[in-house]
Amino acid sequence: QQANTDKTTFEVETKDNTSGMTTKEENSIEDKNASQANSGASIAGPILSIYLVAPSGSTITAIVETTESVRAPGAFTVMAPPEGTNVSWLNPIAGQIFSSESGTIQLENCPKAMGDKVKGSFENVQVINEIDGSTQTLNGDFDIALYAVSGALFCTEAPVNDMGGNMNDND
């Protein structure tokens, strides 16, 4: 592969909706080290699980549910867990757990096999702390490796040209 694609990376900005203060959750690891504990993604049936783990231990988990009608690549509407596409953020330093309320997860591709990259972004994902009601907004990008595959996402396949259009007919 090209040298610039062998890293599992993410950078997500978190904004406290009360104070307006922003922080960044980010990491970059070798693709071969991708895992639930380190950062990475897995597929189980039509569900894509994304684990973004910062060096601090802060972990953003996103569940993206593909269906017949909502396929990858595409925009997935974020809901409150446990149903559908949802996000949770565990911030162990602050001792806080946030769960999603709204927003969008954009998937730019449809990963299928071990080692494939999962590329996408969080777009104004609102999360709430169930204990004190405080909210945060998550925005940012991820480009992470699939470390486990069991099943397949619903994908929008590129149209296939059965007429041999890839052949050079003009000899």
Side-chain angles (χ1 to χ4, degrees), residues 22-158:
T22 62
T23 55
K24 271 206 167 80
E25 300 290 344
E26 56 191 329
N27 204 356
S28 176
I29 62 170
E30 299 287 324
D31 280 349
K32 65 181 192 302
N33 295 330
S35 69
Q36 182 170 346
N38 292 335
S39 292
S42 65
I43 291 174
I47 308 287
L48 174 67
S49 298
I50 297 168
Y51 304 99
L52 307 178
V53 184
S56 66
S58 169
T59 305
I60 298 168
T61 303
I63 306 299
V64 178
E65 183 178 32
T66 65
T67 63
E68 284 282 358
S69 55
V70 186
R71 295 169 177 259
F76 294 82
T77 301
V78 173
M79 304 177 230
E83 296 304 310
T85 295
N86 66 80
V87 176
S88 58
W89 176 32
L90 168 65
N91 186 339
I93 294 167
Q96 295 177 309
I97 299 174
F98 293 88
S99 300
S100 58
E101 293 188 300
S102 63
T104 304
I105 295 174
Q106 196 77 37
L107 281 186
E108 294 169 22
N109 65 336
C110 193
K112 295 183 168 72
M114 289 275 293
D116 280 3
K117 290 311 246 327
V118 179
K119 296 180 173 69
S121 58
F122 294 110
E123 297 177 2
N124 294 316
V125 173
Q126 302 288 327
V127 294
I128 185 167
N129 180 330
E130 302 292 338
I131 294 161
D132 65 12
S134 65
T135 59
Q136 301 253 354
T137 303
L138 308 184
N139 280 290
D141 302 312
F142 50 86
D143 183 352
I144 57 177
L146 267 182
Y147 64 84
V149 177
S150 170
L153 303 180
F154 286 101
C155 296
T156 303
E157 298 299 342

